[in-house]
Amino acid sequence: RGSILVFDAAYAPFIRSPGVPKSIFEVEGARDVAIEVNSFSKYAGFTGVRLGWTVVPDSLTFSDGTPVRNDFNRVMTTAFNGASNIVQSGGMACLDDEGLAEINT
């Protein structure tokens, strides 16, 4: 119907109920209508650091069939300089085995 859902999954780590999706992409058909954003703010206490990510599925297209990710990438790479190297290193540390163990404690 011409709309794109933008789902903020920042609070997903707090979902403990079985069967409740933590990602919009766990819902059938979502890859054709949604973008998901998330961040390390809740996962790893990065609240002031502002490091996050966005998932734009390949199957999400405009009505003319062109991929939404192409325009999203163009806008983001034009308007955003990215996170600093030290912040990126902190994010990568969260994703290694030791970091994930700490987050999951």
Side-chain angles (χ1 to χ4, degrees), residues 22-35:
K22 292 185 178 184
S23 167
I24 189 74
F25 300 124
E26 293 177 51
V27 176
E28 187 178 340
R31 291 189 174 279
D32 297 327
V33 298
I35 292 171

PDB file of all heavy atoms in Angstrom, residues 22-35:
ATOM      1  N   LYS A  22      11.498 -10.997  18.726  1.00  0.00           N
ATOM      2  CA  LYS A  22      12.452  -9.954  19.090  1.00  0.00           C
ATOM      3  C   LYS A  22      12.809  -9.097  17.881  1.00  0.00           C
ATOM      4  O   LYS A  22      13.392  -8.038  18.019  1.00  0.00           O
ATOM      5  CB  LYS A  22      13.718 -10.570  19.675  1.00  0.00           C
ATOM      6  CG  LYS A  22      13.494 -11.230  21.013  1.00  0.00           C
ATOM      7  CD  LYS A  22      14.790 -11.719  21.592  1.00  0.00           C
ATOM      8  CE  LYS A  22      14.557 -12.342  22.956  1.00  0.00           C
ATOM      9  NZ  LYS A  22      15.818 -12.732  23.578  1.00  0.00           N
ATOM     10  N   SER A  23      12.456  -9.579  16.720  1.00  0.00           N
ATOM     11  CA  SER A  23      12.746  -8.880  15.471  1.00  0.00           C
ATOM     12  C   SER A  23      11.483  -8.861  14.620  1.00  0.00           C
ATOM     13  O   SER A  23      10.720  -9.831  14.606  1.00  0.00           O
ATOM     14  CB  SER A  23      13.855  -9.612  14.714  1.00  0.00           C
ATOM     15  OG  SER A  23      13.954  -9.140  13.383  1.00  0.00           O
ATOM     16  N   ILE A  24      11.283  -7.781  13.899  1.00  0.00           N
ATOM     17  CA  ILE A  24      10.147  -7.698  12.976  1.00  0.00           C
ATOM     18  C   ILE A  24      10.253  -8.790  11.921  1.00  0.00           C
ATOM     19  O   ILE A  24       9.260  -9.281  11.405  1.00  0.00           O
ATOM     20  CB  ILE A  24      10.047  -6.291  12.327  1.00  0.00           C
ATOM     21  CG1 ILE A  24       8.740  -6.126  11.548  1.00  0.00           C
ATOM     22  CG2 ILE A  24      11.222  -6.013  11.404  1.00  0.00           C
ATOM     23  CD1 ILE A  24       7.530  -5.955  12.391  1.00  0.00           C
ATOM     24  N   PHE A  25      11.479  -9.222  11.628  1.00  0.00           N
ATOM     25  CA  PHE A  25      11.684 -10.210  10.574  1.00  0.00           C
ATOM     26  C   PHE A  25      11.325 -11.634  11.005  1.00  0.00           C
ATOM     27  O   PHE A  25      11.382 -12.557  10.202  1.00  0.00           O
ATOM     28  CB  PHE A  25      13.109 -10.121  10.037  1.00  0.00           C
ATOM     29  CG  PHE A  25      13.405  -8.760   9.462  1.00  0.00           C
ATOM     30  CD1 PHE A  25      14.465  -8.004   9.919  1.00  0.00           C
ATOM     31  CD2 PHE A  25      12.576  -8.210   8.492  1.00  0.00           C
ATOM     32  CE1 PHE A  25      14.718  -6.743   9.401  1.00  0.00           C
ATOM     33  CE2 PHE A  25      12.814  -6.956   7.966  1.00  0.00           C
ATOM     34  CZ  PHE A  25      13.889  -6.218   8.423  1.00  0.00           C
ATOM     35  N   GLU A  26      10.917 -11.793  12.246  1.00  0.00           N
ATOM     36  CA  GLU A  26      10.370 -13.076  12.693  1.00  0.00           C
ATOM     37  C   GLU A  26       8.886 -13.183  12.314  1.00  0.00           C
ATOM     38  O   GLU A  26       8.284 -14.236  12.488  1.00  0.00           O
ATOM     39  CB  GLU A  26      10.532 -13.226  14.198  1.00  0.00           C
ATOM     40  CG  GLU A  26      11.981 -13.355  14.640  1.00  0.00           C
ATOM     41  CD  GLU A  26      12.129 -13.440  16.139  1.00  0.00           C
ATOM     42  OE1 GLU A  26      11.439 -14.282  16.752  1.00  0.00           O
ATOM     43  OE2 GLU A  26      12.913 -12.660  16.693  1.00  0.00           O
ATOM     44  N   VAL A  27       8.315 -12.094  11.815  1.00  0.00           N
ATOM     45  CA  VAL A  27       6.911 -12.066  11.396  1.00  0.00           C
ATOM     46  C   VAL A  27       6.867 -12.324   9.892  1.00  0.00           C
ATOM     47  O   VAL A  27       7.565 -11.662   9.111  1.00  0.00           O
ATOM     48  CB  VAL A  27       6.270 -10.698  11.731  1.00  0.00           C
ATOM     49  CG1 VAL A  27       4.845 -10.631  11.222  1.00  0.00           C
ATOM     50  CG2 VAL A  27       6.350 -10.426  13.225  1.00  0.00           C
ATOM     51  N   GLU A  28       6.055 -13.275   9.491  1.00  0.00           N
ATOM     52  CA  GLU A  28       5.950 -13.634   8.079  1.00  0.00           C
ATOM     53  C   GLU A  28       5.585 -12.424   7.219  1.00  0.00           C
ATOM     54  O   GLU A  28       4.677 -11.659   7.545  1.00  0.00           O
ATOM     55  CB  GLU A  28       4.886 -14.728   7.903  1.00  0.00           C
ATOM     56  CG  GLU A  28       4.830 -15.269   6.497  1.00  0.00           C
ATOM     57  CD  GLU A  28       3.814 -16.391   6.338  1.00  0.00           C
ATOM     58  OE1 GLU A  28       3.437 -17.009   7.354  1.00  0.00           O
ATOM     59  OE2 GLU A  28       3.401 -16.625   5.195  1.00  0.00           O
ATOM     60  N   GLY A  29       6.325 -12.252   6.144  1.00  0.00           N
ATOM     61  CA  GLY A  29       6.064 -11.169   5.198  1.00  0.00           C
ATOM     62  C   GLY A  29       6.743  -9.851   5.523  1.00  0.00           C
ATOM     63  O   GLY A  29       6.716  -8.921   4.719  1.00  0.00           O
ATOM     64  N   ALA A  30       7.386  -9.756   6.683  1.00  0.00           N
ATOM     65  CA  ALA A  30       7.976  -8.477   7.096  1.00  0.00           C
ATOM     66  C   ALA A  30       9.100  -8.009   6.182  1.00  0.00           C
ATOM     67  O   ALA A  30       9.290  -6.811   5.994  1.00  0.00           O
ATOM     68  CB  ALA A  30       8.474  -8.571   8.533  1.00  0.00           C
ATOM     69  N   ARG A  31       9.836  -8.934   5.592  1.00  0.00           N
ATOM     70  CA  ARG A  31      10.962  -8.535   4.739  1.00  0.00           C
ATOM     71  C   ARG A  31      10.510  -7.764   3.499  1.00  0.00           C
ATOM     72  O   ARG A  31      11.313  -7.085   2.871  1.00  0.00           O
ATOM     73  CB  ARG A  31      11.783  -9.754   4.325  1.00  0.00           C
ATOM     74  CG  ARG A  31      12.528 -10.353   5.490  1.00  0.00           C
ATOM     75  CD  ARG A  31      13.515 -11.424   5.077  1.00  0.00           C
ATOM     76  NE  ARG A  31      14.280 -11.849   6.220  1.00  0.00           N
ATOM     77  CZ  ARG A  31      15.335 -11.209   6.709  1.00  0.00           C
ATOM     78  NH1 ARG A  31      15.760 -10.113   6.131  1.00  0.00           N
ATOM     79  NH2 ARG A  31      15.978 -11.661   7.759  1.00  0.00           N
ATOM     80  N   ASP A  32       9.243  -7.850   3.189  1.00  0.00           N
ATOM     81  CA  ASP A  32       8.722  -7.134   2.026  1.00  0.00           C
ATOM     82  C   ASP A  32       8.146  -5.768   2.384  1.00  0.00           C
ATOM     83  O   ASP A  32       7.768  -5.006   1.488  1.00  0.00           O
ATOM     84  CB  ASP A  32       7.634  -7.965   1.334  1.00  0.00           C
ATOM     85  CG  ASP A  32       8.181  -9.270   0.790  1.00  0.00           C
ATOM     86  OD1 ASP A  32       9.352  -9.314   0.374  1.00  0.00           O
ATOM     87  OD2 ASP A  32       7.427 -10.259   0.788  1.00  0.00           O
ATOM     88  N   VAL A  33       8.061  -5.456   3.683  1.00  0.00           N
ATOM     89  CA  VAL A  33       7.402  -4.199   4.087  1.00  0.00           C
ATOM     90  C   VAL A  33       8.126  -3.429   5.194  1.00  0.00           C
ATOM     91  O   VAL A  33       7.670  -2.363   5.583  1.00  0.00           O
ATOM     92  CB  VAL A  33       5.947  -4.453   4.562  1.00  0.00           C
ATOM     93  CG1 VAL A  33       5.099  -5.039   3.438  1.00  0.00           C
ATOM     94  CG2 VAL A  33       5.908  -5.349   5.794  1.00  0.00           C
ATOM     95  N   ALA A  34       9.257  -3.943   5.701  1.00  0.00           N
ATOM     96  CA  ALA A  34       9.827  -3.323   6.897  1.00  0.00           C
ATOM     97  C   ALA A  34      11.338  -3.143   6.842  1.00  0.00           C
ATOM     98  O   ALA A  34      12.060  -3.877   6.167  1.00  0.00           O
ATOM     99  CB  ALA A  34       9.470  -4.159   8.123  1.00  0.00           C
ATOM    100  N   ILE A  35      11.774  -2.146   7.605  1.00  0.00           N
ATOM    101  CA  ILE A  35      13.180  -1.874   7.913  1.00  0.00           C
ATOM    102  C   ILE A  35      13.296  -2.011   9.429  1.00  0.00           C
ATOM    103  O   ILE A  35      12.398  -1.598  10.162  1.00  0.00           O
ATOM    104  CB  ILE A  35      13.561  -0.434   7.491  1.00  0.00           C
ATOM    105  CG1 ILE A  35      13.545  -0.303   5.958  1.00  0.00           C
ATOM    106  CG2 ILE A  35      14.912  -0.031   8.061  1.00  0.00           C
ATOM    107  CD1 ILE A  35      13.707   1.130   5.471  1.00  0.00           C
TER     108      ILE A  35
END
